[in-house]
Amino acid sequence: MAIATLAPSAIISTLGRRNFYSAKAIAPKDRAFIGGFSPFSSPASAPLNSPFSDREPSPISPPTFFPPSPTGSPFGFHRSDRMEGGSYAEELSVAVRVVQMACSLCQEVQEGLVGRRREQIKSKDDDSLVTIADWGVQATISWVLSQYFGSENVSIVAEEDAHTLSRKDATNLLESVVKAVNGCLVEAHKYGLKPPPKPLRSSEVLEAIGRCNSNGGPKGRFWVLDPVDGTLGFVRGDQYAVALALIEDGEVVLGILGCPNYPMKKEWLSYHQQYYRLMSKLSPPVAGSWHKGCVMYAVKGSGKAWMQPLVHDHGKFGSNNLSTKSIKVSSVDDPAFATFCEPVEKSNSKHSFTAGLARSVGLRKQPLRVYSMVKYAAIACGDAEIFMKFARAGYKEKIWDHAAGVIIIHEAGGVVTDAGGRPLDFAKGIYLEALDRGIIACSGSLLHEKIIRAVDASWDSSNL
């Protein structure tokens, strides 16, 4: 594992030394947050309505948030105070908001990482990557879910643990993570949530990270979190995702994908984000326009998936700039016109095999190689039609790399199965056990069937 380290000053600007969680009003200059000064959001007493547009009301709308009450929840509203939206409306509301918060944390940390020298990324035993953002997001989401639903009622399967941060030689790294978490939580009002009464201590941040120790399984309810899916893309300044899903009795019942760098113009998906940033400086987008960054989400059985812009870039929940739109998979069913995605890394997916499949099916376009579950997002919103992944022998797929994306594609009208045509099984623990050869996600059944047949015809010669 490699740890991308940053000096605390690189990711947190602390302006003023007074307690920024004080109950009394504090001037914005006295507040601390990630990345430098930003006007603080309106107080919790301001009405925070649903983030959905009046023109496109969502059947799974989050609840309206009410002023704080001494007898209410930690977030200033009662659990009964929810809008129509089914039995998961409360979970969805809190989850969408905390993923929005997590995206903000990631954006600030990534800005600090882009362009930094390689010697500031240190190597760990398993050669994987983890950054301040991974731990910071996991701690933030764990803390928020536990505060609202009660820690005794929250079980979380997540990618990171607190072991590295707990070491004696990780004091500076832990300090940076704690500052990132508190810098994120102090902005909670902007997202319709309430911050803790005082900054979290190091022990509380470690506890929040360590609380994510569930092993999943076929019974009960648990959350599945990948705090920064596609950490390699994140470190390189490219695509990544914050992925959160809720599983109940082995079935994914809701999923949220935060994709801070996702472009609203399909053609930009083919370019590295550093090029996108350069072009944006040369030809700036229209002020206030929604040109990149989104949160996508869906609830099982709704038959709909939704996308909204980032609060970090467009204001706060309840503002007119946060209109949400429904998303649907593409209607393209001719392979000649379909776009297919695959992982960037060759280490856990064999590009030569997918290239052969593409030719046999009649795919003409070059593959769109994208980091993280952004591939699922691209299919869900109609920017791509196919995602194929065939891991090398010995590699085991983890549930946090797929849960949120699978349900969003399903509810947007697409199909996700293993290469044998069976639904992915999230009831076997942290791994997708008994996975048949690989994973195939498509915008429709016709494309899906063609690829399944092509896999069967060519698998014996794949050497996978």
Side-chain angles (χ1 to χ4, degrees):
M1 186 184 297
I3 303 174
T5 58
L6 293 173
S9 60
I11 54 171
I12 298 289
S13 296
T14 303
L15 307 177
R17 296 295 179 187
R18 286 181 289 170
N19 182 359
F20 50 78
Y21 287 102
S22 172
K24 64 182 180 180
I26 298 177
K29 66 183 179 64
D30 293 318
R31 295 192 177 97
F33 52 92
I34 301 171
F37 176 77
S38 174
F40 199 70
S41 59
S42 59
S45 58
L48 292 168
N49 296 320
S50 165
F52 300 94
S53 163
D54 291 337
R55 297 182 302 276
E56 287 190 271
S58 166
I60 51 174
S61 302
T64 299
F65 281 63
F66 294 89
S69 166
T71 59
S73 80
F75 294 107
F77 62 95
H78 294 273
R79 296 185 186 184
S80 60
D81 294 333
R82 68 181 185 183
M83 295 173 66
E84 185 178 353
S87 58
Y88 300 105
E90 290 174 331
E91 290 87 348
L92 180 65
S93 175
V94 175
V96 168
R97 292 165 193 262
V98 75
V99 168
Q100 282 272 9
M101 286 179 64
C103 288
S104 176
L105 187 157
C106 289
Q107 285 176 286
E108 299 294 350
V109 175
Q110 189 182 53
E111 285 299 317
L113 283 171
V114 172
R116 299 182 70 85
R117 297 189 300 272
R118 288 297 300 177
E119 57 263 29
Q120 292 185 303
I121 300 177
K122 298 180 181 178
S123 209
K124 286 289 287 185
D125 295 341
D126 65 357
D127 293 327
S128 62
L129 294 173
V130 61
T131 70
I132 290 167
D134 292 85
W135 285 305
V137 167
Q138 186 160 315
T140 299
I141 290 179
S142 172
W143 186 87
V144 169
L145 293 178
S146 296
Q147 288 296 306
Y148 179 61
F149 297 108
S151 58
E152 70 281 3
N153 299 317
V154 172
S155 179
I156 305 174
V157 177
E159 184 170 13
E160 310 304 338
D161 60 46
H163 175 71
T164 300
L165 288 179
S166 301
R167 294 185 334 206
K168 291 182 179 179
D169 61 351
T171 302
N172 291 338
L173 182 61
L174 175 59
E175 179 185 350
S176 295
V177 173
V178 172
K179 286 185 177 180
V181 172
N182 283 322
C184 182
L185 289 175
V186 75
E187 295 276 289
H189 287 305
K190 183 187 288 188
Y191 303 88
L193 303 173
K194 188 177 180 182
K198 58 183 180 180
L200 300 187
R201 302 185 302 273
S202 296
S203 59
E204 292 173 301
V205 171
L206 288 172
E207 179 185 358
I209 295 171
R211 193 181 296 130
C212 304
N213 59 2
S214 171
N215 291 318
K219 298 295 181 183
R221 169 185 286 204
F222 57 91
W223 296 87
V224 178
L225 170 65
D226 194 338
V228 180
D229 183 43
T231 306
L232 184 58
F234 177 80
V235 169
R236 291 176 174 175
D238 207 356
Q239 297 292 340
Y240 65 97
V242 177
L244 182 63
L246 180 62
I247 293 180
E248 195 166 60
D249 295 333
E251 297 285 337
V252 185
V253 296
L254 65 85
I256 305 97
L257 278 180
C259 306
N261 289 335
Y262 195 93
M264 293 301 103
K265 290 186 177 180
K266 174 182 177 178
E267 53 268 26
W268 280 107
L269 269 176
S270 302
Y271 294 94
H272 191 285
Q273 275 297 299
Q274 288 180 338
Y275 181 68
Y276 180 86
R277 279 191 291 270
L278 175 62
M279 294 305 295
S280 296
K281 289 179 181 178
L282 295 175
S283 179
V286 177
S289 64
W290 183 7
H291 60 97
K292 80 174 182 72
C294 64
V295 171
M296 298 183 187
Y297 52 92
V299 172
K300 181 184 177 183
S302 66
K304 291 183 180 294
W306 302 86
M307 177 170 69
Q308 64 180 208
L310 297 180
V311 171
H312 179 83
D313 298 330
H314 292 272
K316 64 179 183 180
F317 271 92
S319 68
N320 292 330
N321 292 333
L322 272 184
S323 59
T324 295
K325 65 178 184 180
S326 61
I327 54 176
K328 280 289 184 185
V329 295
S330 165
S331 60
V332 172
D333 58 11
D334 184 342
F337 299 103
T339 298
F340 84 95
C341 306
E342 64 181 352
V344 175
E345 308 93 330
K346 295 180 180 179
S347 59
N348 61 5
S349 183
K350 193 171 183 180
H351 290 167
S352 60
F353 179 64
T354 54
L357 281 179
R359 287 192 298 270
S360 66
V361 172
L363 298 173
R364 297 179 182 175
K365 296 183 180 181
Q366 289 297 311
L368 181 61
R369 290 176 180 164
V370 184
Y371 294 102
S372 80
M373 264 187 275
V374 164
K375 296 179 282 290
Y376 282 114
I379 293 175
C381 70
D383 287 341
E385 285 75 35
I386 300 166
F387 163 43
M388 296 185 285
K389 182 180 181 183
F390 298 92
R392 296 179 182 274
Y395 183 85
K396 298 178 73 173
E397 298 287 350
K398 303 173 185 69
I399 61 175
W400 54 68
D401 288 325
H402 301 281
V406 166
I407 189 170
I408 293 173
I409 286 183
H410 279 162
E411 299 304 322
V415 183
V416 184
T417 70
D418 66 16
R422 299 179 304 183
L424 305 189
D425 188 350
F426 293 94
K428 303 294 186 182
I430 66 172
Y431 297 106
L432 291 174
E433 301 286 2
L435 189 71
D436 188 348
R437 293 169 288 183
I439 294 173
I440 300 171
C442 292
S443 55
S445 58
L446 289 178
L447 286 174
H448 183 263
E449 290 167 5
K450 289 178 181 178
I451 293 173
I452 292 289
R453 289 196 297 269
V455 171
D456 289 337
S458 58
W459 184 255
D460 289 342
S461 61
S462 68
N463 296 319
L464 285 174

